Amino acid sequence: KNQVEQSPQSLIILEGKNCTLQCNYTVSPFSNLRWYKQDTGRGPVSLTIMTFSENTKSNGRYTATLDADTKQSSLHITASQLSDSASYICVVPFSGYALNFGKGTSLLVTP
Amino acid sequence: GAGVSQSPSNKVTEKGKDVELRCDPISGHTALYWYRQSLGQGLEFLIYFQGNSAPDKSGLPSDRFSAERTGGSVSTLTIQRTQQEDSAVYLCASRRNRESSTDTQYFGPGTRLTVL
């Protein structure tokens, strides 16, 4: 069964601290993995797309890693800011067009 | 702006009424998707359009749900005889190239549907 599982479900951190979000998937065959950020009341916005051959990809303070052998990905946020408060969604395609969405990790950054 | 737009942003309706949700994709994007996001749940795929045709309607939860796309652009999602369990945020996304598995889907802001 194609699944995407994320952890933790929610996370609260202090401004300026780092955090890491996890994503495990069982989707096969695997082509790529995406991380989206969804602010409250808005649609998801793509942060990064990682293909099979990529282990690490950075986008500003966001760094995603991928281990295709263990089928795990992580999203590391450095020096968190209040604007990082959002839901972070891991997405893995399971066909040419369809996407499998995780339930997301809700991150709250507090002053 | 040139992003995906959806209307209305909020819709409150009474149980049993029909509703129509609209999506304007990014100009030139051939692929269009509808998703549903219930509180505390992940995004649920509803339907996919390539141009005006819908090769995959497998996600539509019941025959009360239908969608169409005209002119390869605007799409409408219609829910007939709405039920309280239809309450959710309905998100539309578009993508430029169906064939590229790494092409990004761009999401609209969603329509929040509340069925009383």
Side-chain angles (χ1 to χ4, degrees), chain A residues 32 34 38 43 49 96-97 101, chain B residues 35 37 56 95 101-103 108:
Chain A
N32 64 81
R34 306 138 186 252
Q38 185 175 22
I49 297 176
Y97 57 85
F101 290 82
Chain B
Y35 298 94
Q37 188 173 34
D56 189 348
R95 190 167 88 167
S101 66
T102 58
D103 216 9

Side-chain angles (χ1 to χ4, degrees), chain B residues 7-8 21 24 30 33 35 40 60 68 70 78 80 92 97 105 110:
Chain B
S7 61
L21 312 180
D24 283 89
T30 59
Y33 307 76
Y35 298 94
L60 294 177
E68 64 175 15
T70 56
T78 301
Q80 295 178 311
C92 173
N97 183 355
Q105 287 192 14

